[in-house]
Amino acid sequence: MARVPEVAVVGAGIVGLCTAYALAERGTTARVYESGVPGHGQSSGQSRIFRHAHDDARLVEFTRQGRAIWDEWADRLGTELVSQDGVVALGGPVPGRLRILQEAGGIAVRAVDGAEIRTRMPLLADYSGLAMLDEDGGAIRTRAAVESLAEALGDAVVTDEVISLQPTGRGTVEVLSAAGREEYATAVVCAGLSTARLARNVGLSLPVRPAAHVRLTFQVRGAPPERVACLQDSSGDFGEVGVYAAPYPGNSRYAGGLSETVEVREDGSFADPNALVALNDRARAYVSRALPGLDPEPVEYLHCWVTSLPWSEDGMAVWEADRIFFTAGHNLFKQAPWLGRALAGAAMAEGLEESLRPAATLGRPR
Ligand SMILES: Cc1cc2nc3c(=O)[nH]c(=O)nc-3n(C[C@H](O)[C@H](O)[C@H](O)COP(=O)(O)OP(=O)(O)OC[C@H]3O[C@@H](n4cnc5c(N)ncnc54)[C@H](O)[C@@H]3O)c2cc1C
């Protein structure tokens, strides 16, 4: 009979895949339960922004360490995982974030003027306000990341839904899934929208806020630019104060949306059913004002759920109950390799990084 792996990982989004890969790096076996298709929850879509800028210096440091892990894994997996084209950020938060980044040290970030923005972000309309360039940031190649990690994990990823998991009282964890009942040394839950529900079964109440989000993809007009940075626009100069956007591989498409999300009630329904449509329309209107390099008719829509913690839109934390670790947060894609290694260490009884404990409110502006 095949030996049961040591660790159960619930969810094959980017966090679960990175956790299982980090365990494998250390020679620890895992089974990754995925009820759907790997990478099709909050990790879906063709790109994400890797940026170092955060309002909490601890997150800046973890992001700096995480950037190196992305590069290490890209080399090992033989595929580009983060583009080399940087992130341009616009607007009022720039001086404060620049200060935190420069104090952290070791991150290639600087203020830029309108002329340099035109070369790094040629799709953008003229802009001459506050701006910075994060040279070591870039577009995360999300599909390459999900596919290469899932392939490296092979049979460790199984299609099965975890219905419940419980400490046994013998220092192990029992997992009841649609197709089985197994006992593991420990478990790591990275189940996105379902994490809070699974945690409630072991008596933990996670303050996770589910919300709905809209992201649109646009075709670049004419030939794709050779280099194009990701964009974070908090300026308000183009009518919105919270916009993010990133190129697809090959730069012929650019996807983005408003950071604003639509709150949902506990049963998943909308208080205002028109709010998602309104976000769609505002994102399109922004593109026609701010990004003349794009055809403003979307070529793809992504409507999806996101989860966040109440203290910050970049907040993340890990709850622990008798050898089960529950992870939650938002904007986790960029952090996933670093977080995966931290979760792997915790699962291997090395202790959980203190700043990941909920009381540390990692991500809260300081
Ligand atoms: C449009 C959009 C743009 C974003 N932009 C950025 C960005 O620019 N930069 C950034 O860093 N982050 C960004 N984020 C956030 C980032 O993508 C997410 O934080 C991250 O993908 C979360 O990954 P995850 O593995 O925790 O969750 P998920 O990807 O949701 O994975 C959870 C998985 O668990 C599975 N699952 C759930 N319940 C069970 C169960 N009971 N049994 C088995 N499997 C189960 C689900 O099917 C799913 O595949 C963005 C998110 C969205 C949606």
Side-chain angles (χ1 to χ4, degrees):
M1 214 167 93
R3 252 183 84 222
V4 177
E6 291 150 89
V7 183
V9 175
V10 186
I14 193 63
V15 177
L17 290 170
C18 287
T19 302
Y21 189 72
L23 284 163
E25 280 184 316
R26 315 255 324 253
T28 299
T29 55
R31 176 171 293 141
V32 186
Y33 290 88
E34 172 52 54
S35 56
V37 176
H40 281 257
Q42 294 181 56
S43 305
S44 64
Q46 286 272 7
S47 63
R48 291 288 186 276
I49 300 177
F50 186 101
R51 61 176 154 90
H52 290 90
H54 291 90
D55 295 320
D56 180 343
R58 296 171 301 175
L59 264 190
V60 171
E61 174 53 22
F62 297 148
T63 314
R64 194 182 64 74
Q65 293 174 19
R67 184 72 182 82
I69 308 175
W70 278 111
D71 286 347
E72 184 187 329
W73 289 5
D75 279 351
R76 199 182 309 144
L77 295 165
T79 183
E80 181 183 72
L81 296 178
V82 182
S83 80
Q84 306 286 318
D85 292 348
V87 179
V88 166
L90 315 178
V94 163
R97 291 196 174 151
L98 205 48
R99 185 177 42 76
I100 296 175
L101 288 161
Q102 285 166 343
E103 277 171 13
I107 300 168
V109 63
R110 59 195 161 80
V112 284
D113 62 12
E116 189 161 9
I117 293 173
R118 266 192 297 284
T119 64
R120 301 303 293 252
M121 187 29 202
L123 309 172
L124 186 71
D126 282 346
Y127 175 83
S128 55
L130 293 166
M132 70 178 186
L133 173 68
D134 175 356
E135 298 252 30
D136 294 333
I140 305 175
R141 308 305 193 194
T142 49
R143 291 304 91 207
V146 165
E147 283 161 18
S148 58
L149 288 167
E151 192 183 321
L153 292 166
D155 294 345
V157 182
V158 297
T159 306
D160 198 359
E161 180 180 359
V162 171
I163 305 298
S164 171
L165 70 173
Q166 297 284 343
T168 58
R170 298 183 296 278
T172 57
V173 177
E174 186 173 56
V175 174
L176 303 182
S177 66
R181 175 180 181 178
E182 297 284 9
E183 202 171 314
Y184 298 89
T186 179
V188 182
V189 181
C190 320
L193 202 58
S194 302
T195 297
R197 179 177 60 77
L198 291 167
R200 204 178 282 186
N201 288 337
V202 297
L204 289 175
S205 177
L206 273 48
V208 173
R209 291 181 177 166
H213 182 62
V214 179
R215 190 171 92 150
L216 307 178
T217 302
F218 301 89
Q219 193 71 36
V220 168
R221 292 185 203 266
E226 205 168 299
R227 299 194 75 183
V228 59
C230 299
L231 177 69
Q232 246 199 311
D233 182 2
S234 312
S235 69
D237 281 27
F238 304 106
E240 295 289 350
V241 289
V243 178
Y244 72 89
Y248 273 27
N251 297 343
S252 62
R253 289 182 170 187
Y254 208 73
L258 307 185
S259 310
E260 204 174 307
T261 56
V262 178
E263 294 253 342
V264 291
R265 295 188 281 237
E266 189 160 0
D267 67 358
S269 64
F270 295 108
D272 174 5
N274 293 319
L276 209 54
V277 175
L279 274 190
N280 244 292
D281 293 344
R282 280 169 55 195
R284 289 175 66 157
Y286 172 86
V287 166
S288 45
R289 285 190 297 265
L291 294 163
L294 300 179
D295 181 337
E297 192 57 38
V299 290
E300 274 177 21
Y301 292 83
L302 178 64
H303 298 115
C304 54
W305 304 113
V306 291
T307 52
S308 63
L309 293 170
W311 56 83
S312 161
E313 68 171 24
D314 290 318
M316 63 177 181
V318 177
W319 283 257
E320 184 178 356
D322 289 332
R323 308 295 305 138
I324 312 178
F325 299 91
F326 296 90
T327 175
H330 186 37
N331 286 326
L332 299 181
F333 215 110
K334 70 180 100 60
Q335 309 289 9
W338 178 87
L339 182 58
R341 280 195 177 164
L343 288 165
M348 293 170 72
E350 290 169 1
L352 181 65
E353 171 90 39
E354 279 308 311
S355 54
L356 280 172
R357 295 194 186 275
T361 57
L362 184 58
R364 188 196 286 278
R366 296 162 141 233

